[in-house]
Amino acid sequence: MKQGAVMPKQPFSKRNIWATILLLMLSSTLVFAYTEPPVNLISARANPATIAEEFISASKVAVFSKTTCPYCKKAKGLLNSYNATYSVLELNLRADGPLIQEYLANKTGQHTVPNIFIRGAHVGGCDALFQLDKEGKLKDLLASSAANPSTAAKQPPTHPAEQTVETILAHSKIVVFGRSGCLACLKAKKLLDSYQVAYTVVNIDLRDEEDGSEILSYLELRTGRRSVPNVFVRGESVGGNEDIHDMDRAGSLAALLE
Ligand SMILES: *[C@@H]1O[C@H](CO)[C@@H](O)[C@H](O)[C@H]1NC(C)=O
Ligand SMILES: *[C@@H]1O[C@H](CO)[C@@H](O)[C@H](O)[C@H]1NC(C)=O
């Protein structure tokens, strides 16, 4: 009889073990969810549309890719065979990759990678790139400085740097033109961070196109300022690091950035 009273405890304590295991699994999932990169935070700071559009406009050949995708490798191999310079954005290596992919799907109707743009015009995936090659069009497209066939009707830009700057400004409310090692640029970005606003950084020394000095010349022409940072809000230069700190002290920066 005594044993009978003890017996029911066995399955109960087993259930306890399972409950503990379940709890542990749940809590480890929670920890995972908590430590994962804050996707929404990043996308709020620089939204996927801005990132994608800036990448497309700043790269002669823009390849949205994933390091794990064989067709991406194949497409890059074809570009390599032409010694083409191209820029790659690996979506699986960034927290906002899925959002950028969603933006591209919205923009181009293509959900897959690689998603390739040449001179701002959508080409498509790996098959489309190989098709262009088969038709003998890819080589010229990569070599020529003319616009892509789909935009050929438009006047090719006389000043590529001007085109680049204006495209970036058209797509981002706040833009900081700077250099990667520049202390004043760092301070300006820190101040913007303190306002928790999204902004686009264009480091003129890190550009694939090596058009940094042309960009500086165009910025000088447009704003009278050759030094960096050169901070733009809604397409207009608001000055450098000192200027935005002055505005901060005067209390006028918040309204400007709104
Ligand atoms: C690419 O570069 C290599 C090495 O400079 C050269 O041998 C080859 O002919 C080039 N290919 C094309 C398609 O320009
Ligand atoms: C894609 O389009 C859908 C439907 O219009 C929209 O809700 C979503 O926010 C868009 N996503 C991105 C990343 O632009």
Side-chain angles (χ1 to χ4, degrees), residues 105-147:
N106 285 359
K107 179 185 168 80
T108 67
Q110 183 190 328
H111 294 79
T112 53
V113 287
N115 199 337
I116 303 163
F117 293 76
I118 301 180
R119 294 173 210 286
H122 184 233
V123 169
C126 182
D127 287 348
L129 193 71
F130 272 80
Q131 184 60 31
L132 270 183
D133 188 37
K134 215 169 118 189
E135 291 167 7
K137 292 177 186 162
L138 184 60
K139 195 177 175 203
D140 289 343
L141 209 52
L142 293 173
S144 105
S145 58

Side-chain angles (χ1 to χ4, degrees), residues 174-178 185 188-189 192 199-203 229-232:
I174 305 170
V175 182
V176 179
F177 291 92
C185 303
K189 287 184 269 185
L192 292 175
Y199 56 90
T200 300
V201 177
V202 181
N203 280 323
N230 197 337
V231 182
F232 282 73

Side-chain angles (χ1 to χ4, degrees), residues 23-61:
L23 208 78
L24 274 171
M25 281 170 73
L26 267 175
S27 61
S28 69
T29 312
L30 281 175
V31 167
F32 246 100
Y34 182 73
T35 52
E36 209 153 284
V39 173
N40 288 328
L41 205 71
I42 289 171
S43 68
R45 294 185 53 75
N47 74 56
T50 305
I51 291 167
E53 290 299 338
E54 199 205 321
F55 178 66
I56 292 167
S57 68
S59 319
K60 190 167 99 178
V61 181

